[in-house]
Amino acid sequence: MSLGLGPLMVDIAGTELSVEDTRVLGHPLVGSVLLFTRNYTDPQQIAALTAAIRALRSPHLLIAVDHEGGRVQRFREGFTRLPAARLLGRQYDKDRRDGLALAQSVGWLMASELRAVGVDFSFAPCVDLDYGVSEIIGDRAFHSDPDAAAALAVATLSGMREAGMAAVAKHFPGHGAVVTDSHVALPVDRREFADLEADIRPYRPLIDNNVPGILAAHVVFPAVDAQPASLSKRWITGVLRGELGFHGCVFADDLTMAGAAAFGNAVERAELALVAGCDVLPICNDRHSVECVLERFGANAASAASQARLVRMRARGEAPTDLHGNQHWRDTAARIAALSTPPPLVLTEGES
Protein backbone atom coordinates (compact mmCIF):
# COMPACT_ATOMS: atom_id res chain seq x y z
CA MET A 1 0.00 0.00 0.00
CA SER A 2 1.50 3.37 -1.02
CA LEU A 3 0.44 6.24 1.23
CA GLY A 4 1.91 9.58 2.17
CA LEU A 5 2.86 10.33 5.74
CA GLY A 6 -0.05 11.81 7.67
CA PRO A 7 0.24 14.20 10.64
CA LEU A 8 -0.80 11.81 13.42
CA MET A 9 1.79 10.12 15.61
CA VAL A 10 0.23 7.22 17.54
CA ASP A 11 1.31 4.50 19.95
CA ILE A 12 0.72 0.77 20.24
CA ALA A 13 -0.17 -1.24 23.32
CA GLY A 14 2.32 -4.09 23.51
CA THR A 15 5.42 -5.80 22.20
CA GLU A 16 3.73 -7.01 19.02
CA LEU A 17 1.25 -5.46 16.61
CA SER A 18 -2.38 -6.36 17.26
CA VAL A 19 -5.06 -6.52 14.59
CA GLU A 20 -6.35 -3.20 15.92
CA ASP A 21 -2.88 -1.62 15.71
CA THR A 22 -2.53 -2.77 12.12
CA ARG A 23 -5.86 -1.19 11.20
CA VAL A 24 -5.01 2.16 12.83
CA LEU A 25 -1.47 2.30 11.44
CA GLY A 26 -2.85 1.72 7.95
CA HIS A 27 -4.94 4.90 8.06
CA PRO A 28 -3.62 7.66 5.74
CA LEU A 29 -3.77 10.25 8.55
CA VAL A 30 -1.14 8.31 10.51
CA GLY A 31 2.47 8.99 9.61
CA SER A 32 4.51 7.95 12.61
CA VAL A 33 4.61 5.69 15.66
CA LEU A 34 5.97 6.54 19.12
CA LEU A 35 7.37 3.63 21.11
CA PHE A 36 7.35 3.37 24.91
CA THR A 37 9.01 1.16 27.53
CA ARG A 38 5.97 -1.14 27.47
CA ASN A 39 6.80 -1.94 23.83
CA TYR A 40 10.30 -3.15 24.70
CA THR A 41 11.67 -6.48 25.90
CA ASP A 42 15.12 -6.72 24.35
CA PRO A 43 16.93 -5.57 21.20
CA GLN A 44 15.85 -8.58 19.16
CA GLN A 45 12.18 -8.09 20.03
CA ILE A 46 12.18 -4.35 19.29
CA ALA A 47 13.94 -4.94 15.97
CA ALA A 48 11.20 -7.42 15.02
CA LEU A 49 8.51 -4.94 16.07
CA THR A 50 9.97 -2.06 14.06
CA ALA A 51 10.35 -4.37 11.05
CA ALA A 52 6.67 -5.30 11.34
CA ILE A 53 5.69 -1.61 11.50
CA ARG A 54 7.83 -0.79 8.47
CA ALA A 55 6.28 -3.63 6.50
CA LEU A 56 2.77 -2.20 6.84
CA ARG A 57 3.16 0.63 4.34
CA SER A 58 5.33 2.05 1.61
CA PRO A 59 6.88 4.49 2.26
CA HIS A 60 7.15 3.09 5.75
CA LEU A 61 5.77 4.83 8.82
CA LEU A 62 8.35 6.76 10.80
CA ILE A 63 9.29 5.21 14.15
CA ALA A 64 10.30 7.40 17.10
CA VAL A 65 11.13 7.09 20.79
CA ASP A 66 11.97 9.35 23.73
CA HIS A 67 15.54 8.23 24.37
CA GLU A 68 17.53 11.26 25.50
CA GLY A 69 19.35 9.70 28.47
CA GLY A 70 19.15 9.84 32.24
CA ARG A 71 15.54 9.53 33.45
CA VAL A 72 14.20 9.55 29.89
CA GLN A 73 15.44 6.40 28.17
CA ARG A 74 12.71 4.01 27.06
CA PHE A 75 14.96 1.06 26.15
CA ARG A 76 17.43 0.05 28.86
CA GLU A 77 18.38 -3.63 29.09
CA GLY A 78 20.62 -4.36 26.13
CA PHE A 79 21.27 -0.65 25.51
CA THR A 80 23.95 1.63 26.91
CA ARG A 81 22.64 3.57 29.92
CA LEU A 82 22.97 7.11 28.63
CA PRO A 83 24.00 9.92 30.99
CA ALA A 84 21.67 12.71 31.97
CA ALA A 85 22.39 15.89 30.01
CA ARG A 86 23.49 17.66 33.19
CA LEU A 87 26.50 15.32 33.45
CA LEU A 88 27.60 16.43 29.98
CA GLY A 89 27.21 20.03 31.09
CA ARG A 90 29.45 19.40 34.09
CA GLN A 91 32.08 17.86 31.84
CA TYR A 92 31.80 20.93 29.60
CA ASP A 93 32.50 23.14 32.63
CA LYS A 94 35.63 21.13 33.44
CA ASP A 95 36.93 21.02 29.87
CA ARG A 96 34.94 22.73 27.14
CA ARG A 97 36.52 20.85 24.24
CA ASP A 98 36.22 17.46 25.89
CA GLY A 99 32.63 18.17 26.96
CA LEU A 100 31.60 18.97 23.40
CA ALA A 101 33.43 15.94 22.02
CA LEU A 102 31.70 13.74 24.60
CA ALA A 103 28.27 15.19 23.80
CA GLN A 104 28.85 14.47 20.11
CA SER A 105 29.97 10.91 20.87
CA VAL A 106 26.99 10.28 23.16
CA GLY A 107 24.64 11.59 20.46
CA TRP A 108 26.29 9.27 17.94
CA LEU A 109 26.09 6.23 20.24
CA MET A 110 22.45 6.87 21.17
CA ALA A 111 21.47 7.26 17.54
CA SER A 112 23.52 4.28 16.37
CA GLU A 113 22.00 1.91 18.94
CA LEU A 114 18.49 3.01 18.03
CA ARG A 115 19.13 2.82 14.30
CA ALA A 116 20.45 -0.72 14.73
CA VAL A 117 16.96 -1.81 15.89
CA GLY A 118 14.99 0.12 13.25
CA VAL A 119 14.15 3.41 15.00
CA ASP A 120 14.15 6.49 12.76
CA PHE A 121 14.56 9.27 15.32
CA SER A 122 14.67 10.15 18.99
CA PHE A 123 13.13 13.17 20.69
CA ALA A 124 16.50 14.63 21.66
CA PRO A 125 18.25 16.81 22.60
CA CYS A 126 16.43 18.59 25.42
CA VAL A 127 17.59 22.22 25.27
CA ASP A 128 15.58 23.67 28.15
CA LEU A 129 17.66 25.69 30.58
CA ASP A 130 18.36 24.49 34.10
CA TYR A 131 16.77 27.14 36.30
CA GLY A 132 16.60 24.70 39.21
CA VAL A 133 12.81 24.94 39.51
CA SER A 134 11.21 22.60 36.97
CA GLU A 135 9.70 19.33 38.22
CA ILE A 136 10.02 17.65 34.85
CA ILE A 137 13.24 19.10 33.38
CA GLY A 138 15.84 19.08 36.15
CA ASP A 139 18.92 17.08 35.12
CA ARG A 140 17.53 16.69 31.60
CA ALA A 141 18.92 20.17 30.90
CA PHE A 142 22.52 20.54 29.77
CA HIS A 143 23.15 23.80 31.55
CA SER A 144 21.78 27.01 33.01
CA ASP A 145 23.82 29.08 30.56
CA PRO A 146 22.10 29.33 27.15
CA ASP A 147 25.35 29.44 25.18
CA ALA A 148 26.67 26.33 26.91
CA ALA A 149 23.34 24.56 26.36
CA ALA A 150 23.40 25.59 22.71
CA ALA A 151 26.95 24.34 22.15
CA LEU A 152 26.20 20.97 23.76
CA ALA A 153 22.94 20.63 21.83
CA VAL A 154 24.67 21.36 18.52
CA ALA A 155 27.35 18.78 19.38
CA THR A 156 24.64 16.21 20.13
CA LEU A 157 22.91 17.08 16.86
CA SER A 158 26.19 16.55 15.02
CA GLY A 159 26.70 13.11 16.58
CA MET A 160 23.16 12.03 15.76
CA ARG A 161 23.56 13.25 12.19
CA GLU A 162 26.81 11.30 11.85
CA ALA A 163 24.83 8.17 12.74
CA GLY A 164 22.14 9.00 10.16
CA MET A 165 19.50 10.14 12.65
CA ALA A 166 17.49 13.36 12.70
CA ALA A 167 17.42 15.32 15.97
CA VAL A 168 14.32 16.89 17.56
CA ALA A 169 15.14 19.79 19.89
CA LYS A 170 12.68 20.35 22.74
CA HIS A 171 10.66 21.92 24.42
CA PHE A 172 10.28 25.16 22.44
CA PRO A 173 10.40 27.95 23.51
CA GLY A 174 11.41 26.64 26.96
CA HIS A 175 10.05 24.54 29.80
CA GLY A 176 12.81 25.06 32.35
CA ALA A 177 11.51 28.17 34.15
CA VAL A 178 8.14 26.77 35.25
CA VAL A 179 7.64 24.44 38.21
CA THR A 180 4.60 22.61 36.86
CA ASP A 181 4.98 19.41 34.84
CA SER A 182 2.90 19.73 31.66
CA HIS A 183 2.14 15.99 31.82
CA VAL A 184 -0.11 16.63 34.82
CA ALA A 185 -1.15 20.31 34.65
CA LEU A 186 -0.86 23.44 32.50
CA PRO A 187 2.35 25.39 33.20
CA VAL A 188 2.17 29.19 32.90
CA ASP A 189 5.27 31.34 32.38
CA ARG A 190 4.39 35.00 32.99
CA ARG A 191 7.59 36.55 31.68
CA GLU A 192 7.49 39.13 28.92
CA PHE A 193 8.64 38.05 25.47
CA ALA A 194 11.90 40.00 25.79
CA ASP A 195 12.71 38.10 28.98
CA LEU A 196 12.50 34.76 27.13
CA GLU A 197 15.55 35.46 24.97
CA ALA A 198 17.83 33.20 27.03
CA ASP A 199 15.45 30.24 26.59
CA ILE A 200 15.08 30.87 22.86
CA ARG A 201 18.79 31.46 22.25
CA PRO A 202 19.86 27.78 22.01
CA TYR A 203 17.45 27.31 19.09
CA ARG A 204 19.23 29.87 16.94
CA PRO A 205 22.48 27.89 16.39
CA LEU A 206 20.49 24.67 16.12
CA ILE A 207 18.43 26.19 13.31
CA ASP A 208 21.61 27.55 11.72
CA ASN A 209 22.89 23.96 11.79
CA ASN A 210 19.71 22.68 10.10
CA VAL A 211 18.15 20.81 13.00
CA PRO A 212 15.41 18.75 11.29
CA GLY A 213 12.81 18.81 14.09
CA ILE A 214 11.63 20.95 17.00
CA LEU A 215 8.99 19.98 19.56
CA ALA A 216 6.77 22.70 21.01
CA ALA A 217 5.87 22.80 24.69
CA HIS A 218 2.48 22.79 26.39
CA VAL A 219 3.42 25.97 28.24
CA VAL A 220 1.35 29.15 28.16
CA PHE A 221 3.18 32.48 27.95
CA PRO A 222 0.24 34.87 28.47
CA ALA A 223 2.33 37.94 27.62
CA VAL A 224 2.72 36.43 24.12
CA ASP A 225 -0.45 34.36 23.52
CA ALA A 226 -3.31 32.81 25.47
CA GLN A 227 -2.69 29.45 23.81
CA PRO A 228 0.19 27.16 24.85
CA ALA A 229 3.15 27.32 22.49
CA SER A 230 2.22 23.93 21.02
CA LEU A 231 -1.16 25.26 19.85
CA SER A 232 -0.15 28.86 19.16
CA LYS A 233 0.09 30.31 15.66
CA ARG A 234 1.96 33.25 17.18
CA TRP A 235 4.66 30.94 18.52
CA ILE A 236 4.88 28.34 15.73
CA THR A 237 4.22 30.35 12.57
CA GLY A 238 5.17 33.77 13.91
CA VAL A 239 8.23 33.22 16.09
CA LEU A 240 9.62 29.79 15.21
CA ARG A 241 9.08 29.84 11.47
CA GLY A 242 8.96 33.60 10.90
CA GLU A 243 11.42 35.26 13.26
CA LEU A 244 13.79 32.32 13.75
CA GLY A 245 13.54 31.03 10.18
CA PHE A 246 12.95 27.38 11.03
CA HIS A 247 11.96 25.34 7.96
CA GLY A 248 11.99 21.87 9.50
CA CYS A 249 9.37 19.64 11.08
CA VAL A 250 7.40 21.01 14.06
CA PHE A 251 6.02 18.52 16.57
CA ALA A 252 3.36 19.38 19.11
CA ASP A 253 3.96 17.76 22.46
CA ASP A 254 1.59 14.84 23.14
CA LEU A 255 -1.93 16.22 22.77
CA THR A 256 -3.27 13.88 25.47
CA MET A 257 -1.12 15.51 28.16
CA ALA A 258 -2.88 17.50 30.87
CA GLY A 259 -1.11 20.65 29.68
CA ALA A 260 -3.28 20.59 26.56
CA ALA A 261 -6.51 19.38 28.17
CA ALA A 262 -7.94 22.85 28.79
CA PHE A 263 -8.06 23.61 25.07
CA GLY A 264 -10.88 21.38 23.89
CA ASN A 265 -11.28 17.72 23.11
CA ALA A 266 -8.72 15.74 21.13
CA VAL A 267 -10.16 16.80 17.77
CA GLU A 268 -10.18 20.47 18.75
CA ARG A 269 -6.62 20.33 20.07
CA ALA A 270 -5.45 18.62 16.89
CA GLU A 271 -7.15 21.29 14.78
CA LEU A 272 -5.53 24.06 16.84
CA ALA A 273 -2.09 22.45 16.46
CA LEU A 274 -2.47 22.15 12.69
CA VAL A 275 -3.66 25.76 12.34
CA ALA A 276 -0.76 26.88 14.53
CA GLY A 277 1.67 25.32 12.05
CA CYS A 278 2.57 21.97 13.62
CA ASP A 279 3.41 19.14 11.22
CA VAL A 280 3.09 16.21 13.64
CA LEU A 281 0.35 15.69 16.20
CA PRO A 282 1.23 12.99 18.77
CA ILE A 283 -1.84 11.37 20.36
CA CYS A 284 -0.67 8.58 22.63
CA ASN A 285 -2.04 6.46 25.47
CA ASP A 286 -5.59 7.28 24.39
CA ARG A 287 -6.77 5.16 21.47
CA HIS A 288 -10.31 6.57 21.74
CA SER A 289 -8.96 10.06 20.98
CA VAL A 290 -7.02 8.67 18.03
CA GLU A 291 -10.22 7.12 16.67
CA CYS A 292 -12.10 10.43 17.09
CA VAL A 293 -9.46 12.34 15.13
CA LEU A 294 -9.32 9.68 12.40
CA GLU A 295 -13.09 9.90 12.06
CA ARG A 296 -13.31 13.69 11.98
CA PHE A 297 -10.25 14.74 9.96
CA GLY A 298 -10.05 14.63 6.19
CA ALA A 299 -7.58 12.24 4.58
CA ASN A 300 -5.55 15.20 3.26
CA ALA A 301 -5.11 17.01 6.58
CA ALA A 302 -1.35 17.37 6.03
CA SER A 303 -0.14 19.78 3.35
CA ALA A 304 2.41 18.70 0.76
CA ALA A 305 4.98 20.95 2.46
CA SER A 306 4.28 19.35 5.82
CA GLN A 307 4.66 15.85 4.38
CA ALA A 308 7.97 16.88 2.79
CA ARG A 309 9.23 18.14 6.15
CA LEU A 310 8.23 14.88 7.80
CA VAL A 311 10.20 12.87 5.23
CA ARG A 312 13.34 14.64 6.48
CA MET A 313 12.91 12.80 9.76
CA ARG A 314 13.58 9.43 8.15
CA ALA A 315 16.84 7.70 9.11
CA ARG A 316 19.57 8.03 6.49
CA GLY A 317 22.09 5.49 5.24
CA GLU A 318 22.63 1.90 6.25
CA ALA A 319 21.72 0.87 9.78
CA PRO A 320 24.82 -0.08 11.78
CA THR A 321 25.75 -3.69 12.45
CA ASP A 322 28.08 -5.16 15.09
CA LEU A 323 28.24 -1.96 17.11
CA HIS A 324 30.02 -3.74 19.96
CA GLY A 325 32.87 -4.42 17.58
CA ASN A 326 33.14 -0.73 16.68
CA GLN A 327 36.03 1.03 18.44
CA HIS A 328 34.16 4.33 18.59
CA TRP A 329 31.25 2.58 20.33
CA ARG A 330 33.57 0.86 22.82
CA ASP A 331 35.41 4.08 23.64
CA THR A 332 32.19 6.06 24.07
CA ALA A 333 30.54 3.36 26.18
CA ALA A 334 33.59 3.34 28.45
CA ARG A 335 33.47 7.15 28.81
CA ILE A 336 29.76 7.00 29.64
CA ALA A 337 30.32 4.31 32.27
CA ALA A 338 33.08 6.37 33.90
CA LEU A 339 30.98 9.54 33.74
CA SER A 340 28.01 7.87 35.42
CA THR A 341 30.03 6.17 38.19
CA PRO A 342 30.38 8.25 41.34
CA PRO A 343 33.94 8.76 42.55
CA PRO A 344 35.07 6.55 45.43
CA LEU A 345 34.46 7.91 48.90
CA VAL A 346 37.75 8.91 50.52
CA LEU A 347 37.59 9.58 54.23
CA THR A 348 40.00 12.05 55.75
CA GLU A 349 41.16 11.92 59.34
CA GLY A 350 38.33 12.64 61.77
CA GLU A 351 35.52 11.74 59.31
CA SER A 352 33.23 8.72 59.63
Side-chain angles (χ1 to χ4, degrees):
M1 182 188 303
S2 181
L3 296 173
L5 295 176
L8 290 195
M9 170 177 274
V10 302
D11 63 328
I12 60 175
T15 55
E16 297 179 345
L17 291 178
S18 67
V19 172
E20 179 68 13
D21 291 329
T22 299
R23 181 186 65 80
V24 170
L25 297 185
H27 196 287
L29 280 175
V30 175
S32 48
V33 179
L34 182 60
L35 299 176
F36 291 85
T37 300
R38 66 174 180 269
N39 304 126
Y40 180 77
T41 302
D42 55 46
Q44 293 72 34
Q45 170 271 326
I46 203 69
L49 177 59
T50 60
I53 294 170
R54 287 169 179 263
L56 292 175
R57 285 169 49 174
S58 178
H60 71 75
L61 294 165
L62 296 179
I63 303 171
V65 66
D66 271 313
H67 201 86
E68 66 192 51
R71 289 175 291 137
V72 182
Q73 179 172 338
R74 303 302 186 218
F75 310 154
R76 292 182 178 266
E77 296 303 321
F79 278 74
T80 302
R81 299 295 181 95
L82 302 171
R86 179 182 286 166
L87 292 178
L88 300 177
R90 289 175 178 170
Q91 189 62 30
Y92 175 93
D93 287 340
K94 293 176 185 177
D95 183 327
R96 182 179 185 277
R97 181 176 295 180
D98 182 63
L100 294 177
L102 182 58
Q104 180 170 349
S105 292
V106 170
W108 172 85
L109 181 144
M110 176 268 286
S112 296
E113 291 189 345
L114 290 175
R115 289 219 50 215
V117 296
V119 174
D120 283 292
F121 64 92
S122 174
F123 283 105
C126 178
V127 297
D128 300 304
L129 299 184
D130 185 5
Y131 287 101
V133 299
S134 175
E135 294 176 350
I136 192 62
I137 301 303
D139 64 358
R140 297 169 65 191
F142 287 115
H143 215 281
S144 59
D145 177 74
D147 295 320
L152 289 160
V154 169
T156 303
L157 161 69
S158 177
M160 294 173 69
R161 179 174 288 154
E162 181 185 350
M165 177 173 282
V168 182
K170 61 186 183 184
H171 307 78
F172 177 82
H175 203 312
V178 288
V179 175
T180 305
D181 175 0
S182 57
H183 290 84
V184 298
L186 175 63
V188 179
D189 189 327
R190 299 193 180 280
R191 291 177 293 170
E192 296 294 324
F193 181 75
D195 297 327
L196 300 171
E197 171 55 29
D199 299 77
I200 294 172
R201 193 183 309 168
Y203 289 94
R204 299 181 190 276
L206 283 165
I207 291 169
D208 289 343
N209 281 274
N210 297 312
V211 63
I214 290 177
L215 181 142
H218 294 322
V219 178
V220 172
F221 301 84
V224 181
D225 193 357
Q227 304 279 19
S230 54
L231 309 180
S232 166
K233 191 169 186 178
R234 170 75 179 102
W235 275 114
I236 303 302
T237 301
V239 178
L240 183 55
R241 294 215 187 276
E243 297 177 26
L244 299 181
F246 179 61
H247 300 296
C249 193
V250 178
F251 296 77
D253 211 341
D254 189 341
L255 293 174
T256 66
M257 288 165 55
F263 300 91
N265 59 37
V267 173
E268 291 165 336
R269 295 174 214 165
E271 289 172 340
L272 285 170
L274 278 180
V275 171
C278 292
D279 300 295
V280 181
L281 318 176
I283 303 179
C284 299
N285 303 306
D286 187 346
R287 182 55 63 85
H288 174 70
S289 290
V290 170
E291 296 285 6
C292 290
V293 173
L294 294 181
E295 182 180 338
R296 293 284 296 276
F297 271 43
N300 298 317
S303 67
S306 186
Q307 291 190 47
R309 288 190 286 264
L310 188 53
V311 168
R312 291 184 60 201
M313 302 306 301
R314 196 179 302 284
R316 305 292 182 183
E318 293 295 323
T321 57
D322 189 27
L323 270 177
H324 291 200
N326 181 302
Q327 189 62 48
H328 187 18
W329 181 90
R330 292 199 299 266
D331 292 343
T332 303
R335 283 295 311 275
I336 290 172
L339 189 69
S340 303
T341 303
L345 178 64
V346 178
L347 298 180
T348 60
E349 187 176 351
E351 293 181 328
S352 60

